[in-house]
Amino acid sequence: MDRLQLFLLELGKGFSFVARQKRISDGEEDYFIDLVFYNYFLKCFVLIDLKTGKLTPQDVGQMDFYVRLYTDKFKLPEDNPPIGIILCSGKNKTVARYSALADNKALFASEYVLYLPSEEELASEVEAAALHHGLQEEVG
């Protein structure tokens, strides 16, 4: 529960845990969404699919399917449409450009790392981000 609380705090304000391995059915087959949250500020469900590999077109299609089915089965009239997030170990730019991610504002893919970066790697990333955002102060 402590880890879940920390994860929710990292997501931001207004998130409430709904389910892990949430079963949804189309009447013929069952499907399982890795994590489901509800955000009270956005007034929508947030579906998260965890992938251990690089992003594939199949992953995007699967999440698009989940979002559409979840909308049909669980969205209340006062809710906004669900948001689908795919967390993967590598993001393929071609897949992101030519799949439903390109034109569907409710689908997102993001990379995660399986290890903590070294102090040098972290400092380098912070400096690069500071330069990218036009910050004048030296990071150190």
Side-chain angles (χ1 to χ4, degrees), residues 22-40:
K22 172 71 175 168
R23 183 180 70 85
I24 57 174
S25 176
D26 64 2
E28 296 178 23
E29 292 192 42
D30 293 332
Y31 305 93
F32 297 88
I33 303 170
D34 292 333
L35 295 168
V36 177
F37 297 94
Y38 187 85
N39 186 286
Y40 290 96

Side-chain angles (χ1 to χ4, degrees), residues 18-34 36 45 47 62-75 82:
V18 174
R20 178 177 180 231
Q21 292 298 308
K22 172 71 175 168
R23 183 180 70 85
I24 57 174
S25 176
D26 64 2
E28 296 178 23
E29 292 192 42
D30 293 332
Y31 305 93
F32 297 88
I33 303 170
D34 292 333
V36 177
F45 288 99
L47 315 178
Q62 179 182 31
M63 180 54 79
D64 185 49
F65 173 79
Y66 287 166
V67 166
R68 292 170 189 268
L69 186 58
Y70 210 90
T71 299
D72 187 51
K73 300 289 183 180
F74 298 103
K75 180 187 165 294

Side-chain angles (χ1 to χ4, degrees), residues 3-90:
R3 288 182 185 160
L4 180 59
Q5 181 180 354
L6 289 173
F7 181 73
L8 286 171
L9 290 173
E10 285 185 30
L11 286 174
K13 293 182 179 181
F15 281 92
S16 177
F17 178 75
V18 174
R20 178 177 180 231
Q21 292 298 308
K22 172 71 175 168
R23 183 180 70 85
I24 57 174
S25 176
D26 64 2
E28 296 178 23
E29 292 192 42
D30 293 332
Y31 305 93
F32 297 88
I33 303 170
D34 292 333
L35 295 168
V36 177
F37 297 94
Y38 187 85
N39 186 286
Y40 290 96
F41 295 117
L42 299 174
K43 298 201 180 314
C44 71
F45 288 99
V46 178
L47 315 178
I48 298 179
D49 202 15
L50 306 171
K51 299 296 182 186
T52 57
K54 283 183 122 179
L55 182 68
T56 68
Q58 292 83 359
D59 298 333
V60 177
Q62 179 182 31
M63 180 54 79
D64 185 49
F65 173 79
Y66 287 166
V67 166
R68 292 170 189 268
L69 186 58
Y70 210 90
T71 299
D72 187 51
K73 300 289 183 180
F74 298 103
K75 180 187 165 294
L76 298 176
E78 61 272 13
D79 287 339
N80 288 312
I83 294 172
I85 300 173
I86 305 164
L87 295 178
C88 51
S89 65

Side-chain angles (χ1 to χ4, degrees), residues 105-128:
K105 303 228 183 292
L107 294 180
F108 303 91
S110 183
E111 291 179 272
Y112 64 86
V113 293
L114 297 173
Y115 65 92
L116 290 174
S118 70
E119 189 174 331
E120 294 80 22
E121 291 172 321
L122 191 56
S124 175
E125 288 293 323
V126 170
E127 285 180 31

Side-chain angles (χ1 to χ4, degrees), residues 121-137 139:
E121 291 172 321
L122 191 56
S124 175
E125 288 293 323
V126 170
E127 285 180 31
L131 289 173
H132 178 72
H133 288 86
L135 300 175
Q136 301 297 324
E137 296 179 337
V139 177

